[in-house]
Amino acid sequence: ENEYIHHKVNLSILYLKQGNYQKALAYLNELLPEVENTTIKPFEALLYNNYAWISILTNELEAADNYSEMAYSLDTKNQYIRGTRGAVLVWAKKYTVAIPLLQKNLNFNVRDEVTFSAAMHLAVAYNYTNQAAKATPLLNFVNANYHYESLTFEYQDLYNRIMAKINAQVATAV
């Protein structure tokens, strides 16, 4: 049965990376009602986190907030869960609460999706809390280390949305 769960979670992640968010959610929706099942229980925080992340990408911010809060309450040490919680807080405009969570995920020595997401979301949080000088080096780091074409659809989508948010903020500040 664990193999079945892994299969569903992996398919969900595959569809997420391809930008097929509805199909990714469909696989998670098959597992969520059974979360109290003893075989699924160990994956509870991961399921909630994945659901929250997809909810960010589909602009379902209330669902993202609820699921990321549940995931984070179950596991505060997991960098993916912490990063999702921080990202949700940025989209919810709770920048000062998001910043410390995202700072924990920022590691300039590691070029992975955790650092990418942390840097991008921190740039937004800094811009919206009058700390633009801290945002610029983060965006420079992202642009120097992550080539847009090599990002998965999910992260291209995130990059586009975050840059639009930053550009909108900069335009209103001028």
Side-chain angles (χ1 to χ4, degrees):
E1 200 166 336
N2 271 353
E3 206 171 290
Y4 168 80
I5 296 164
H6 280 286
H7 180 69
K8 294 283 184 192
V9 170
N10 287 338
L11 281 171
S12 176
I13 292 169
L14 174 69
Y15 284 114
L16 166 67
K17 299 292 179 200
Q18 294 174 344
N20 192 337
Y21 305 138
Q22 295 314 314
K23 199 134 185 170
L25 280 175
Y27 281 103
L28 292 180
N29 284 331
E30 289 179 32
L31 296 173
L32 283 175
E34 300 178 44
V35 83
E36 294 301 320
N37 178 318
T38 53
T39 18
I40 296 179
K41 194 75 175 159
F43 303 97
E44 183 178 15
L46 174 66
L47 290 175
Y48 290 154
N49 187 65
N50 288 0
Y51 206 100
W53 185 251
I54 295 168
S55 296
I56 290 171
L57 296 168
T58 57
N59 278 324
E60 301 288 336
L61 298 182
E62 192 174 322
D65 189 34
N66 292 335
Y67 281 106
S68 74
E69 192 170 36
M70 289 190 293
Y72 192 67
S73 72
L74 292 169
D75 187 352
T76 59
K77 292 181 172 45
N78 181 294
Q79 65 180 353
Y80 295 99
I81 291 171
R82 184 176 49 242
T84 299
R85 186 68 190 142
V88 167
L89 291 168
V90 165
W91 290 102
K93 301 178 181 174
K94 297 176 183 172
Y95 306 115
T96 56
V97 183
I99 288 172
L101 293 178
L102 294 167
Q103 285 173 329
K104 287 181 182 175
N105 278 10
L106 194 62
N107 183 347
F108 291 116
N109 297 317
V110 179
R111 298 332 186 248
D112 64 2
E113 58 193 26
V114 173
T115 298
F116 175 84
S117 179
M120 292 298 292
H121 285 99
L122 269 172
V124 172
Y126 287 145
N127 264 312
Y128 279 85
T129 55
N130 298 315
Q131 301 178 72
K134 289 183 178 181
T136 302
L138 293 172
L139 294 174
N140 290 341
F141 170 80
V142 165
N143 289 324
N145 292 285
Y146 298 91
H147 301 289
Y148 185 84
E149 298 78 26
S150 65
L151 296 173
T152 62
F153 181 88
E154 157 200 15
Y155 285 98
Q156 287 179 353
D157 187 18
L158 185 67
Y159 179 88
N160 293 337
R161 292 180 60 215
I162 287 176
M163 292 310 296
K165 190 170 179 64
I166 289 172
N167 291 333
Q169 196 277 331
V170 170
T172 58
V174 174

